[in-house]
Amino acid sequence: MIHQYKSNGYNIVLDVNSGSVHVVDDIVYDIIPLFQENTREEIADKLADRYDINEINEACDEIQALKDDEVLFTEDIYEPCIEQFAERKAQENVVKAMCLHIAHDCNLACKYCFAEEGEYHGRRALMSAEVGKKALDFLVANSGHRRNLEVDFFGGEPLMNFEVVKEIVAYGRELEKTHDKKFRFTMTTNGVLLNDEVLDFVNKECGNLVLSVDGRKEVHDKMRPFRNGAGSYDMIMPKFEKAAESRNQTNYYVRGTFTHNNLDFSKDVLDLADRGFKQISVEPVVADDTEDYALRPEDLPQIYEEYDKLAVEMIKREKEGRGFNFFHYMIDLEGGPCVYKRLSGCGCGTEYLAVTPWGDFYPCHQFVGHEEYIMGNVFEGIKTPQIREQFNHCNVYTKDKCKDCFCKFFCSGGCSANAYNFNGDINEPYDIACKLEQKRVECAIMIKCALAE
Amino acid sequence: MKHIKTLNTRNLKESAKKGGCGECQTSCQSACKTSCTVGNQSCENK
C-alpha cells in the first residue's frame, strides 16, 4: 500500500507496509500511481507530453530498485502474525500499566470534561490508600516478566487526595525492592493545588508530569473555570512555568484541549511555546455532537489548515534553534515501536486498566462509568475475562475502516473508547478522530522530511 | 539516487522478527488520554 501526498512543497511517498518514507521529484510522483499496473511503454506513453523519455526510464529504474529492496510496494505480511500475537497475549494476560483514579472530585468545572467535573457519571469519591496499594499488588502479580510498570495518578484532580498518592508511591518503592520491577509514576494536575511541597515530591518520584492548560488565557478561562465561574489561568500559569523549568523542560507536558470555540488552536500552541514550554500537547476535544463546543465535520478544513500552519512554524523555529515538541507531531521513524505494538493498539482492556476510587477495574479511564465494562476489582481480580478477550482480539485487521487506511501503523486502530462512545462498537473507529490523525501523521512526516534536508 | 531521497526508517518487516517484548510505554500514559497515538513512541528494546 502506498500513500502519496504533497505538503509544504514536498512530494512525499509513504510505503505503508515497510514504514519507509521517500521524498521524490514530480516525475517519480506521477509515475508511482501507474507503476504497478502498467508496462514501461504504457507509462512513457501516458507521461510523454510532460516528461522526457530518458528521464521517465531513469525514474522507473529508481522506483524498481526501491521495490527490489522492499521499501516500496511492500506486501502486508502481518495479518497472520497478529492472530498468533493476540493468542500469545491472551495466554500471558500481562498487565503493565494502570490509571489510578485517585479522586473522583475536582476543584475546577471544565466544560468539556469527559469525567463530568470529576464524577464520571457517578458519585464523588476519593481512593483510599488500601485500594491504591491493592492495585499495585495486582499490577506486580500480573505483570509477568515485564519490568517497567506504569502508574498514572488521574482524576478528577488527583492532588485533592495527595496524602494517599504519597502513601501509594512509598508502597510502590517498597515493592520494587522485593520484586524485580520498576514503577514509573505520572501525575496529572490542573495546577490549583500545585505548590512547592507537591513539586518537590513530583520531581523526585514522577517520571512524567501532565499539566492541564489550554493555551491563551481567554481560551483557557472560557473552558476551565472554577465552580464559581472565575477563570483559573492566572492562578495556574506561574506554577506551570516554574514546574516546567524545575524539570529542565523535559519529562512533562503542558496538555490542552481545543474545541469548536478555538479552531485557531495553532495560536494556543504557539502561545504556550512563547511562554517557554518545550513539551506541548494540545488535542481535539472529544464531545457529544449536541455540545456547542464539539468539533463538527465542517470544521475539518480549518483544523487541517491550522495543523499545516503549526507544522511550518515548528520547522522554522527548529531551524532557528528554538524548537519545541508537539506531542501529536512526535513520530519516531527510526526507533519507533515494533509492528506488533503498532497493530495491537494502546493496550486498553488488556495490558492497561483503569481503577476507580473504590477499586473497580475498567478497560481505560474513558470507559469509567460505563458499568457494562467493569472487568473486576482490586480485591478479587479479573471477574469478566470475556471483556479482556474482546480487547485482545481488537486490532487494525478487525476494523473494516482500518484495512485500507495508510495511518493504521501509526494510530494502531484508534481509540477504543472513542469508537465505543460514538459508534457503540470498539471495532468501529470515530470518523473525525481518524481524519485528524491522518492529517497529523502527514504533517509529522513532512516535518521529518524538511528537517532531513 | 537522482529522483528519490529515502529517509532512514525502521523497517517494520524486520521488527516483526523479534518484536513484541511489551516493555514499551502504554500510549495513554504519556499525555494523550483522548486519542490513540502509538507511532510516536520509542521501542525500549532496540
Side-chain angles (χ1 to χ4, degrees):
Chain A
M1 181 193 289
I2 296 292
H3 178 63
Q4 58 182 118
Y5 64 102
K6 291 174 187 273
S7 176
N8 194 26
Y10 297 93
N11 296 336
I12 298 169
V13 176
L14 169 67
D15 183 54
V16 174
N17 293 321
S18 69
S20 305
V21 176
H22 312 284
V23 183
V24 306
D25 62 7
D26 287 340
I27 183 166
V28 169
Y29 194 83
D30 289 340
I31 292 173
I32 280 177
L34 305 172
F35 194 79
Q36 291 287 74
E37 307 294 329
N38 292 274
T39 64
R40 285 208 178 190
E41 291 70 30
E42 287 166 341
I43 292 170
D45 269 354
K46 287 179 181 176
L47 299 177
D49 57 334
R50 286 146 71 190
Y51 303 109
D52 174 75
I53 179 70
N54 293 326
E55 290 278 301
I56 293 174
N57 274 326
E58 199 176 67
C60 284
D61 285 343
E62 291 190 10
I63 294 171
Q64 185 63 47
L66 294 183
K67 188 177 166 184
D68 293 344
D69 283 347
E70 299 189 324
V71 290
L72 199 59
F73 301 115
T74 315
E75 293 297 315
D76 183 342
I77 54 155
Y78 312 117
E79 192 162 0
C81 311
I82 192 70
E83 260 314 299
Q84 290 169 12
F85 183 63
E87 276 306 314
R88 202 171 84 205
K89 260 177 72 179
Q91 280 166 13
E92 291 176 352
N93 282 328
V94 163
V95 181
K96 64 178 192 185
M98 268 185 173
C99 181
L100 299 186
H101 289 228
I102 288 296
H104 274 192
D105 196 358
C106 194
N107 38 25
L108 291 182
C110 305
K111 292 179 183 163
Y112 46 56
C113 184
F114 64 76
E116 297 189 321
E117 298 170 18
E119 293 163 43
Y120 287 88
H121 324 281
R123 60 186 191 270
R124 280 168 203 271
L126 300 179
M127 182 178 281
S128 67
E130 187 203 1
V131 165
K133 289 175 185 176
K134 286 273 182 199
L136 296 197
D137 287 339
F138 177 89
L139 188 51
V140 167
N142 288 274
S143 53
H145 298 298
R146 304 299 186 280
R147 185 159 185 273
N148 295 318
L149 306 180
E150 296 156 38
V151 174
D152 193 4
F153 298 114
F154 200 59
E157 170 52 36
L159 292 185
M160 291 178 81
N161 197 12
F162 182 51
E163 291 306 312
V164 166
V165 169
K166 288 197 285 191
E167 266 191 74
I168 294 171
V169 168
Y171 185 69
R173 298 297 176 222
E174 287 303 310
L175 287 177
E176 285 175 341
K177 291 177 193 161
T178 46
H179 302 76
D180 184 27
K181 302 289 178 188
K182 175 82 188 134
F183 284 103
R184 290 179 181 169
F185 293 106
T186 295
M187 174 67 80
T188 296
T189 180
N190 63 24
V192 173
L193 296 174
L194 190 59
N195 59 28
D196 287 346
E197 184 208 343
V198 173
L199 195 55
D200 286 347
F201 173 83
V202 166
N203 287 350
K204 181 164 168 266
E205 299 289 0
C206 294
N208 190 17
L209 172 64
V210 180
L211 305 164
S212 302
V213 53
D214 283 350
R216 291 165 292 179
K217 175 177 157 62
E218 63 275 19
V219 170
H220 177 96
D221 279 345
K222 182 166 182 178
M223 293 306 276
R224 302 184 64 82
F226 287 98
R227 284 172 185 259
N228 67 8
S232 57
Y233 186 90
D234 289 339
M235 178 194 249
I236 58 111
M237 181 45 79
K239 299 187 203 180
F240 285 0
E241 288 170 335
K242 182 177 173 182
E245 279 303 314
S246 75
R247 295 173 75 86
N248 298 317
Q249 292 294 341
T250 59
N251 300 319
Y252 80 96
Y253 285 97
V254 281
R255 193 260 184 234
T257 300
F258 72 85
T259 72
H260 179 73
N261 296 331
N262 62 317
L263 292 175
D264 58 348
F265 64 91
S266 70
K267 293 191 177 115
D268 293 289
V269 177
L270 296 177
D271 188 81
L272 291 167
D274 290 341
R275 289 183 178 279
F277 293 110
K278 294 291 184 193
Q279 315 296 336
I280 301 172
S281 182
V282 174
E283 310 193 8
V285 73
V286 177
D288 194 88
D289 297 342
T290 56
E291 302 289 356
D292 59 2
Y293 55 80
L295 299 174
R296 304 155 195 176
E298 58 268 30
D299 294 336
L300 288 172
Q302 189 179 345
I303 299 174
Y304 294 161
E305 217 173 284
E306 287 293 303
Y307 277 131
D308 281 332
K309 262 196 255 176
L310 179 61
V312 170
E313 179 64 19
M314 284 179 67
I315 294 165
K316 180 172 164 264
R317 291 188 183 206
E318 187 65 37
K319 286 183 174 170
E320 291 169 358
R322 54 190 189 108
F324 63 91
N325 281 330
F326 179 62
F327 180 70
H328 272 160
Y329 286 170
M330 288 164 62
I331 197 162
D332 193 346
L333 294 177
E334 290 177 67
C338 64
V339 73
Y340 297 107
K341 170 77 175 176
R342 290 170 186 269
L343 292 170
S344 55
C346 64
C348 161
T350 57
E351 43 185 47
Y352 175 67
L353 297 174
V355 186
T356 65
W358 46 93
D360 282 342
F361 291 143
Y362 281 89
C364 83
H365 53 284
Q366 283 207 74
F367 279 96
V368 168
H370 295 292
E371 291 186 353
E372 65 277 25
Y373 272 97
I374 294 178
M375 297 178 67
N377 60 66
V378 296
F379 304 102
E380 299 167 291
I382 297 294
K383 303 281 284 177
T384 49
Q386 62 273 24
I387 295 177
R388 186 169 58 196
E389 274 302 286
Q390 260 186 55
F391 285 98
N392 257 332
H393 293 280
C394 172
N395 60 62
V396 295
Y397 297 109
T398 62
K399 301 176 185 182
D400 286 337
K401 278 187 190 167
C402 297
K403 281 181 185 154
D404 298 319
C405 177
F406 77 89
C407 233
K408 60 188 170 192
F409 296 133
F410 296 99
C411 74
S412 70
C415 169
S416 293
N418 286 350
Y420 177 72
N421 284 328
F422 284 89
N423 298 321
D425 180 355
I426 59 170
N427 281 303
E428 185 73 26
Y430 165 44
D431 205 39
I432 288 185
C434 289
K435 292 201 161 77
L436 296 180
E437 174 73 3
Q438 289 160 353
K439 180 66 191 176
R440 291 191 298 256
V441 167
E442 286 189 350
C443 287
I445 290 174
M446 183 279 285
I447 292 173
K448 290 284 182 195
C449 296
L451 295 178
E453 277 185 330
Chain B
M1 284 194 177
K2 185 176 147 195
H3 301 273
I4 304 174
K5 183 182 172 194
T6 299
L7 267 58
N8 290 327
T9 54
R10 182 183 193 189
N11 192 304
L12 294 184
K13 216 166 148 183
E14 289 299 309
S15 81
K17 291 181 187 158
K18 57 171 191 167
C21 75
E23 288 292 349
C24 51
Q25 199 180 32
T26 302
S27 47
C28 261
Q29 294 296 115
S30 41
C32 60
K33 292 289 183 205
T34 56
S35 56
C36 186
T37 318
V38 166
N40 64 6
Q41 295 182 352
S42 291
C43 176
E44 300 258 352
N45 195 26
K46 272 207 79 181

